[in-house]
Amino acid sequence: MRMMKHIARLAALVQVLFLFLLVVATSCLSTAMRMMLLFPCTTRRHQGEEPPMEMTDMKPEEMSHPPMDQLIGMEYCIDSNPSWGGAIVLGFQHFILCLGTAVMIPTMLVPLMGGNAHDKAMVVQTVLLVTGINTMLQTLFGTRLPTIIGGSYAFVIPVISVISDPSLIRIADDHTRFKMTMRAIQGALIISSCIQIILGYSQLWGVCSRFFSPLGMVPVIALAGFGLFERGFPVIGKCVEIGLPMLVLFVALSQYLKHVQVRHFPILERFSVLISIALVWVYAHILTVSGAYKHSSPLTQVNCRTDRANLITTAPWISIPYPLQWGAPTFSADHSFGMMSAVLVSLIESTGAFMAAARLASATPPPPFVLSRGIGWQGIGLLFDGLFGTVSGSTVSVENVGLLGSTRIGSRRVIQISAGFMIFFSILGRFGALFASIPFTLFAAIYCVLFGYVGAVGLSFMQFTNMNSMRNLFIIGISLFLGISIPEYFFRFTISAQHSPAHTRAGWFNDLINTIFSSPPTVGFIISVVLDNTLEVRNRAKDRGMPWWARFRTFRGDSRNEEFYNLPFNLNRFFPPS
């Protein structure tokens, strides 16, 4: 009897499901019939009927969304500035946001090197100081775009290779091993920084950029944001009770409540990062002190508790990081060649991030001369990373580029003020450590939105190309898919096999392959640029977006370039654009 009841219930469920599908199918069919009556198929036109109007035949005002050089809705562009009070708070907000990477990379690498909590605090201070210096130099003399030059995860693989060197592992004393490993990393960074310095100041990267097109840049910029998905919700999942409220609150403040104004000022939209972090940080601290995580696993405690960073108690009150503070760098050809692969990845990722920052700051795409100038200064930044000892190299901070879109403020001055905060709090170590103790889960929630902004900016470049072309669909589709799929394969293989796919006796070769193919923007760049310049190139300039791109390929091709990218203090007299 019990079996018959179950069968009856199952039959009733199947009948309900069948009726539901029948209703949906009937509704879709009737809708399709109405659409066919209203919009008959263009392939069955009667003789003498006029063909449908092509997009190229339409006037811009007749198009619902014509291609536009600049985004709609940005309040302040690259060379316009909010009030000093607003700019200072916005600069502090950018400083808080960059703390996620500035703390996470040393937290990951310093213990592997043999360092203790005090060593980690010193490295975080050094990272903040060098980030502030590099950001100030880039905004003054580099591309002059509102970009923060912070730590890069691309250097993790070659740095771990240095840490795993048998000659360093054999050192018994942990602190001595930490200092010797740091000096080996410094030497590799100093040597490898020459690549970006040479490519930048010799204008070779500008020459290479002549092979770029809007079509080829779509996967590079898009994957600079979307390719960082591992730092988004997978991290939130490690502490859902604070990560998910953070994500919901940030979206609510920055999007749904953005029109709420205090004295005609959209405070919730402009300072949504600061407000949401402050509220959820207090909530996380309440959970911590109330003993909510007392019996949780160590992994949960690290991701959820507010007292697990061990930075406040170990950081000195006042300390000024200085070059060669860990001792004289040591040089190894094997380490240097491995680090060069990360420098190439940083070069490509920064190129995509510069393009995204230019669009979000309402500037023109950086001309080849400006792009090369920025890469040259980024090479100088890598040299500073090696001299000061920051554990890893640097690149453009993608999350801060996304924040330009979230706040709708692309002002250069705001980023320069942020660089000032980095330098200030790197010296006052105890105060900087207070903010650096924010759980990384909160940053991961913000990354879900900001990385998405950058990825969407990359997709916006498709408006300048012909997306009705099967060639273009193929290039963008395969570049995006493999740009995500190949690095994911390398990541999963490493997790399961406990070593990377390239596992030969030549350490530098392993670092080269594993670093390059673990970077989504780099994989997307290689595939898209190669295909775009070799596949049916003849008579395809218009489809690739080159007519729109052509005026930005020279410094004087567009009158706005001088306004956005001229050097300060009349330095263009001594360094004229080529």
Side-chain angles (χ1 to χ4, degrees):
M1 289 295 292
R2 199 172 287 178
M3 177 71 79
M4 294 299 292
K5 286 182 179 179
H6 285 305
I7 293 175
R9 289 176 183 173
L10 184 61
L13 183 62
V14 170
Q15 288 177 1
V16 172
L17 183 61
F18 176 76
L19 288 174
F20 174 74
L21 293 175
L22 185 63
V23 170
V24 172
T26 305
S27 174
C28 293
L29 184 61
S30 61
T31 303
M33 292 296 291
R34 286 197 300 268
M35 293 297 291
M36 289 176 66
L37 291 173
L38 290 172
F39 306 102
C41 182
T42 56
T43 58
R44 297 183 179 178
R45 293 192 306 269
H46 295 290
Q47 190 171 3
E49 205 175 65
E50 291 187 2
M53 184 179 292
E54 299 289 338
M55 292 292 286
T56 53
D57 298 332
M58 296 177 68
K59 298 177 182 179
E61 59 269 18
E62 294 175 343
M63 300 172 63
S64 56
H65 304 289
M68 301 185 69
D69 289 350
Q70 296 177 322
L71 296 173
I72 299 175
M74 295 299 292
E75 292 289 336
Y76 294 92
C77 67
I78 183 172
D79 55 356
S80 60
N81 304 304
S83 64
W84 276 104
I88 290 173
V89 181
L90 287 165
F92 183 72
Q93 184 170 241
H94 275 276
F95 159 71
I96 291 293
L97 184 61
C98 79
L99 285 175
T101 302
V103 174
M104 191 61 188
I105 293 178
T107 300
M108 186 192 328
L109 296 177
V110 169
L112 299 177
M113 300 163 61
N116 53 29
H118 175 72
D119 295 327
K120 184 177 78 171
M122 291 295 294
V123 172
V124 171
Q125 281 186 260
T126 305
V127 170
L128 286 178
L129 176 66
V130 176
T131 298
I133 294 173
N134 290 344
T135 300
M136 193 67 75
L137 291 174
Q138 188 66 240
T139 54
L140 284 174
F141 309 115
T143 60
R144 308 216 66 210
L145 289 167
T147 52
I148 286 178
I149 310 299
S152 171
Y153 285 87
F155 290 83
V156 169
I157 292 176
V159 166
I160 290 179
S161 180
V162 175
I163 294 173
S164 304
D165 191 303
S167 62
L168 296 172
I169 292 179
R170 282 196 295 265
I171 300 175
D173 182 65
D174 283 343
H175 187 66
T176 304
R177 179 162 64 90
F178 165 76
K179 296 185 73 172
M180 294 301 295
T181 305
M182 177 66 81
R183 291 161 64 182
I185 294 171
Q186 288 181 262
L189 284 171
I190 290 172
I191 296 297
S192 59
S193 67
C194 298
I195 290 183
Q196 288 194 6
I197 293 174
I198 293 172
L199 287 176
Y201 291 122
S202 68
Q203 293 294 310
L204 282 174
W205 191 240
V207 174
C208 294
S209 69
R210 295 184 178 276
F211 296 98
F212 304 164
S213 71
L215 180 70
M217 285 292 102
V218 167
V220 183
I221 304 172
L223 290 172
F226 296 146
L228 298 173
F229 66 91
E230 289 288 349
R231 282 194 267 160
F233 205 85
V235 180
I236 293 178
K238 296 177 181 178
C239 189
V240 179
E241 54 267 34
I242 66 172
L244 202 55
M246 180 69 193
L247 176 60
V248 173
L249 182 62
F250 180 57
V251 171
L253 294 179
S254 63
Q255 301 301 319
Y256 289 97
L257 301 177
K258 63 182 177 182
H259 300 296
V260 176
Q261 297 190 355
V262 178
R263 294 184 179 180
H264 307 288
F265 184 82
I267 187 170
L268 296 183
E269 180 189 33
R270 297 284 169 82
F271 308 132
S272 54
V273 169
L274 284 180
I275 296 172
S276 54
I277 283 182
L279 292 176
V280 182
W281 192 15
V282 170
Y283 165 63
H285 188 65
I286 292 173
L287 291 178
T288 300
V289 299
S290 64
Y293 305 113
K294 191 173 182 180
H295 303 291
S296 300
S297 65
L299 181 63
T300 301
Q301 294 195 30
V302 168
N303 286 280
C304 299
R305 295 181 67 100
T306 57
D307 57 357
R308 280 292 184 268
N310 293 326
L311 291 174
I312 299 177
T313 56
T314 56
W317 282 103
I318 297 178
S319 175
I320 303 177
Y322 55 90
L324 308 182
Q325 59 187 330
W326 314 107
T330 58
F331 300 95
S332 165
D334 193 39
H335 297 163
S336 299
F337 278 115
M339 199 69 72
M340 287 178 185
S341 61
V343 172
L344 292 174
V345 168
S346 168
L347 171 71
I348 294 170
E349 291 179 349
S350 294
T351 299
F354 281 141
M355 297 287 184
R359 189 145 179 78
L360 287 171
S362 295
T364 56
F369 171 76
V370 174
L371 191 60
S372 286
R373 191 175 69 193
I375 293 301
W377 277 105
Q378 186 168 295
I380 297 293
L382 284 170
L383 180 62
F384 287 155
D385 290 331
L387 290 174
F388 281 84
T390 60
V391 175
S392 75
S394 53
T395 188
V396 176
S397 173
V398 177
E399 53 266 34
N400 290 93
V401 173
L403 188 58
L404 302 178
S406 178
T407 58
R408 297 191 294 140
I409 294 179
S411 171
R412 183 190 296 126
R413 177 184 292 174
V414 169
I415 300 301
Q416 292 171 340
I417 292 174
S418 176
F421 275 116
M422 295 173 203
I423 296 172
F424 176 76
F425 282 110
S426 70
I427 297 173
L428 298 177
R430 192 65 64 91
F431 293 101
L434 172 65
F435 299 113
S437 63
I438 299 172
F440 188 70
T441 308
L442 303 189
F443 293 108
I446 299 175
Y447 292 165
C448 291
V449 177
L450 302 185
F451 291 160
Y453 260 114
V454 176
V457 169
L459 298 181
S460 73
F461 276 79
M462 290 193 291
Q463 65 184 305
F464 308 113
T465 66
N466 178 14
M467 290 314 296
N468 293 312
S469 165
M470 295 302 296
R471 171 191 181 273
N472 290 2
L473 291 175
F474 167 75
I475 292 174
I476 288 182
I478 193 173
S479 300
L480 288 174
F481 184 83
L482 291 181
I484 294 175
S485 183
I486 293 177
E488 183 66 10
Y489 162 75
F490 271 69
F491 174 75
R492 293 192 181 187
F493 186 96
T494 304
I495 294 296
S496 61
Q498 295 301 307
H499 63 80
S500 301
H503 189 61
T504 67
R505 293 183 179 179
W508 65 270
F509 177 78
N510 298 338
D511 293 341
L512 178 69
I513 298 299
N514 296 326
T515 303
I516 289 177
F517 290 100
S518 294
S519 166
T522 306
V523 175
F525 172 85
I526 294 171
I527 297 172
S528 65
V529 172
V530 169
L531 290 177
D532 190 35
N533 287 277
T534 58
L535 182 63
E536 300 177 9
V537 182
R538 194 172 183 181
N539 301 325
R540 292 284 186 171
K542 194 171 183 180
D543 286 353
R544 300 167 64 202
M546 296 308 290
W548 173 79
W549 192 261
R551 55 198 168 109
F552 306 119
R553 297 180 72 176
T554 59
F555 190 80
R556 293 184 175 85
D558 190 290
S559 58
R560 296 169 292 178
N561 287 341
E562 294 188 14
E563 174 190 353
F564 297 142
Y565 300 117
N566 261 348
L567 291 173
F569 318 122
N570 249 353
L571 289 176
N572 273 67
R573 294 179 302 169
F574 307 104
F575 306 99
S578 59

